Amino acid sequence: AQSVSQHNHHVILSEAASLELGCNYSYGGTVNLFWYVQYPGQHLQLLLKYFSGDPLVKGIKGFEAEFIKSKFSFNLRKPSVQWSDTAEYFCAVFEGSQGNLIFGKGTKLSVKP
Amino acid sequence: GAVVSQHPSRVICKSGTSVKIECRSLDFQATTMFWYRQFPKQSLMLMATSNEGSKATYEQGVEKDKFLINHASLTLSTLTVTSAHPEDSSFYICSAPGLGVSGNTIYFGEGSWLTVV
């Protein structure tokens, strides 16, 4: 079975700092990868996804992620975070043909103003 | 764009009662919907796959008689927590695969906070 690991439980940054959140998955075949964000009190929103093609994926709100097959990784990055980026971030991988997602445990990001 | 709506967003019920949570795809048809549960400080875990016109498929360890799922139409799936107990208090969220601007994607409802007292 596939699994997803997010190594950082809680990341605290100051505004304008650069962000990189780690995500590793276990499956060695073709993968579809996602990053979701959950702002306090709100529902999950899709930040970006990778299905195929360019391994550097750009998402909303200035986020990007790079798929590195050899490292089984799909790290999320943002050059300069803002206070409004404070949220919990989940990495997820597709399992099966019908769209079931397996989520990592999430990384809470706190950005200090 | 495609939207999945979930209702209610918050519900408090007494122990032993049942509560129903609805998940609707608003502008697309979803033959399959997924129900997840998120306990505090933990990640989302798949509970079951809801299939329109047929029985739901439950993940290991999820009691199908306790968490009743009905996918009566192409736009509606319901999760009923029967004989609720305080340990059922959790965040329940549904999702449905759809066709986004750049291909297949997954859409999530707003989630439902269940508190059993």
Side-chain angles (χ1 to χ4, degrees):
Chain A
Q2 297 184 36
S3 65
V4 178
S5 298
Q6 290 182 245
H7 313 296
N8 309 105
H9 178 63
H10 190 186
V11 173
I12 302 173
L13 296 173
S14 297
E15 275 195 317
S18 64
L19 169 72
E20 181 160 3
L21 302 181
C23 172
N24 288 91
Y25 60 93
S26 63
Y27 184 60
T30 301
V31 290
N32 300 316
L33 297 156
F34 299 77
W35 274 99
Y36 284 88
V37 60
Q38 188 172 28
Y39 297 102
Q42 297 186 28
H43 60 93
L44 281 173
Q45 298 177 40
L46 179 65
L47 271 181
L48 49 80
K49 61 182 179 179
Y50 172 78
F51 278 19
S52 63
D54 189 344
L56 184 61
V57 180
K58 295 193 181 298
I60 61 171
K61 304 187 181 185
F63 286 91
E64 65 177 29
E66 184 174 13
F67 169 57
I68 303 179
K69 189 175 181 178
S70 61
K71 295 184 178 180
F72 297 88
S73 70
F74 189 56
N75 293 354
L76 181 71
R77 299 194 294 246
K78 185 170 184 178
S80 175
V81 295
Q82 301 172 319
W83 176 79
S84 57
D85 293 324
T86 295
E88 189 150 17
Y89 294 80
F90 294 92
C91 181
V93 62
F94 254 136
E95 179 179 59
S97 60
Q98 294 188 36
N100 169 33
L101 292 175
I102 295 178
F103 286 84
K105 292 187 176 182
T107 298
K108 183 178 179 180
L109 171 66
S110 299
V111 180
K112 298 182 293 184
Chain B
V3 175
V4 172
S5 177
Q6 199 170 329
H7 177 80
S9 58
R10 291 182 183 273
V11 58
I12 300 173
C13 71
K14 292 185 177 180
S15 185
T17 63
S18 297
V19 62
K20 180 186 288 186
I21 302 170
E22 294 185 346
C23 179
R24 294 180 184 273
S25 56
L26 294 185
D27 55 359
F28 68 103
Q29 294 181 334
T31 56
T32 302
M33 291 185 177
F34 300 96
W35 286 96
Y36 297 84
R37 180 169 55 187
Q38 184 181 31
F39 290 108
K41 299 184 179 180
Q42 295 187 31
S43 185
L44 287 161
M45 297 293 291
L46 180 68
M47 295 177 64
T49 302
S50 173
N51 304 297
E52 188 270 335
S54 64
K55 292 182 179 180
T57 305
Y58 291 82
E59 296 301 299
Q60 191 173 9
V62 178
E63 299 175 60
K64 61 181 180 181
D65 295 329
K66 180 172 183 63
F67 298 99
L68 300 179
I69 290 173
N70 183 16
H71 198 145
S73 75
L74 288 170
T75 60
L76 175 64
S77 174
T78 60
L79 168 67
T80 301
V81 183
T82 64
S83 187
H85 289 275
E87 55 264 33
D88 298 325
S89 298
S90 184
F91 181 67
Y92 294 85
I93 192 167
C94 69
S95 74
L99 187 61
V101 174
S102 56
N104 293 329
T105 192
I106 296 286
Y107 296 98
F108 284 89
E110 301 92 333
S112 300
W113 289 98
L114 170 62
T115 302
V116 184
V117 297

